Amino acid sequence: MSMFHRITSLFGTLVVLATCLAPVPAHAAEPPMPRLDGAVGWLNSPPLTLESLRGKVVLVDFWTYSCINCLRTLPHVRAWAQRYTAQGLVVVGVHTPEFAFEKNLANVERATKDLKIDFPVAIDSNYAIWRSFQNRAWPAFYLVDAQGLIRHRQFGEGDFDTAEKMIQALLKESGSEAARKPAPSVALDTRGIGLPPDMANAKSQETYVGYQQAEGFSSPGGIVPERSHLYAPGTPRVNEWGLSGEWSVRPEFAELGRAGGSVVYRFHARDLHLVLGRASAGMPVRFRLTLDGKPPGADHGVDTDADGNGVIDAERLYQLVRQQGRIGDRTIEIRFLDPGARAFAFTFG
């Protein structure tokens, strides 16, 4: 990778870089919050400015909707928005895409609704806000005090207690009347995709399928980029993957040319996700998966059933496996029953 993308891509499934627990006194060395200019649109709010945010404590959350680390972080961000908005907190989601389909405003609008996000979201499809913050990861938190100074940065998934304590401290420091009132209790919903990862068993790492960042490819002859090629899966070892059937591998994804092709991965993790899309919008693509040659049964994910059946109906992350018992090395094969499937990236948890 040419730049610091998702933290999972470089340092494993879960990494947190956090500053101190309590805010330090404000001084001139602390940088001011950059402007939010450059967003191509806003959801749930008119465009926000530094002037409109002055006097508020602001949490800026960089995310993108197909990132599993962002999806597992969102339950906490939603809860903070619900709990502390009345006390003076403004949560601003900055949606900066990784894949081309995440630049599509309709895709982001649908994902925002599906994820029950009602706080303001800046659509940063051109990376303007990302660059102004000199950001380098998804997800990333920037906490800004009532004077507009960045007082805390936190990159990656986890250590949510630290972030919440910083929110509480900056609200108290703001001195507003609203901040003196008790914050309401809010239930944290971490079901489904939002469940924290099983770190003891997360021994597989994010794996890209497009040739620009692909690693661990096991099909004989390697990847043939930018043209249709008939692949055989080979016999992948742990953390290796292969293709079977007629595929064209592009920089971001592999696209299936004829029905019946599959993707095979040998992995070790409780959860397996795959970012999937379609060559033709509006045309669903059916698939069926097996674990070690058998239907997944109780180990199916939220986007498949016990027989392994699923449908690609949008460009997004699909949870294919959530194991219920002892975790070991497993082989998944996802066979696509229709042409036009696009496979982008595996992630685990």
Side-chain angles (χ1 to χ4, degrees), residues 272-291:
L272 179 144
H273 317 93
L274 180 56
V275 178
L276 292 165
R278 307 157 295 173
S280 299
M283 296 293 291
V285 176
R286 298 166 299 155
F287 63 86
R288 183 175 298 128
L289 69 85
T290 58
L291 283 175

Side-chain angles (χ1 to χ4, degrees), residues 65 99-102 104 106-108 110 114 247-248 250 252-257 274-287 310-318 336-345:
Y65 81 81
F99 298 116
F101 66 79
E102 293 173 306
N104 184 304
N107 287 346
V108 183
R110 181 171 54 247
D114 290 345
W247 293 84
S248 178
R250 312 286 176 77
E252 284 193 347
F253 57 84
E255 182 179 313
L256 180 63
L274 180 56
V275 178
L276 292 165
R278 307 157 295 173
S280 299
M283 296 293 291
V285 176
R286 298 166 299 155
F287 63 86
V311 177
I312 306 172
D313 56 7
E315 288 62 49
R316 61 179 178 88
L317 179 142
Y318 289 75
F336 299 95
L337 308 182
D338 303 297
R342 289 180 172 178
F344 289 81

Side-chain angles (χ1 to χ4, degrees), residues 70-315:
C70 300
L71 295 175
R72 289 194 295 243
T73 298
L74 275 173
H76 298 269
V77 179
R78 284 195 303 259
W80 296 335
Q82 294 169 17
R83 190 174 190 199
Y84 297 111
T85 294
Q87 291 193 328
L89 176 69
V90 177
V91 174
V92 181
V94 178
H95 185 274
T96 311
E98 177 172 20
F99 298 116
F101 66 79
E102 293 173 306
K103 296 181 180 180
N104 184 304
L105 181 58
N107 287 346
V108 183
E109 287 177 328
R110 181 171 54 247
T112 301
K113 291 178 182 176
D114 290 345
L115 295 167
K116 298 179 174 58
I117 294 171
D118 56 9
F119 51 79
V121 176
I123 308 300
D124 188 34
S125 296
N126 296 327
Y127 278 66
I129 302 173
W130 177 286
R131 288 192 296 269
S132 69
F133 275 77
Q134 300 180 38
N135 190 48
R136 51 194 169 93
W138 296 280
F141 294 156
Y142 294 81
L143 264 172
V144 181
D145 67 17
Q147 285 69 50
L149 301 177
I150 295 176
R151 301 284 293 280
H152 179 76
R153 301 169 183 81
Q154 192 165 310
F155 305 125
E157 175 191 352
D159 204 8
F160 301 113
D161 287 344
T162 294
E164 184 163 14
K165 288 175 182 177
M166 292 295 295
I167 291 169
Q168 293 168 345
L170 290 179
L171 287 171
K172 182 178 180 181
E173 183 185 285
S174 73
S176 71
E177 185 66 30
R180 296 191 181 98
K181 299 177 181 178
S185 297
V186 174
L188 187 66
D189 184 1
T190 57
R191 295 171 295 177
I193 292 288
L195 186 69
D198 177 1
M199 291 307 301
N201 285 296
K203 297 179 181 179
S204 293
Q205 297 184 7
E206 184 170 30
T207 302
Y208 290 88
V209 176
Y211 69 77
Q212 195 168 40
Q213 300 183 67
E215 295 180 349
F217 188 67
S218 66
S219 291
I223 289 175
V224 179
E226 297 292 354
R227 64 181 178 87
S228 181
H229 181 74
L230 190 62
Y231 289 92
T235 307
R237 296 175 294 182
V238 176
N239 296 330
E240 291 183 345
W241 63 282
L243 297 172
S244 176
E246 185 180 304
W247 293 84
S248 178
V249 183
R250 312 286 176 77
E252 284 193 347
F253 57 84
E255 182 179 313
L256 180 63
R258 287 190 293 182
S262 65
V263 182
V264 180
Y265 199 116
R266 182 79 170 161
F267 71 101
H268 189 117
R270 183 195 67 200
D271 300 342
L272 179 144
H273 317 93
L274 180 56
V275 178
L276 292 165
R278 307 157 295 173
S280 299
M283 296 293 291
V285 176
R286 298 166 299 155
F287 63 86
R288 183 175 298 128
L289 69 85
T290 58
L291 283 175
D292 301 328
K294 300 177 182 179
D299 290 337
H300 69 90
V302 297
D303 292 301
T304 55
D305 63 20
D307 293 323
N309 296 304
V311 177
I312 306 172
D313 56 7
E315 288 62 49

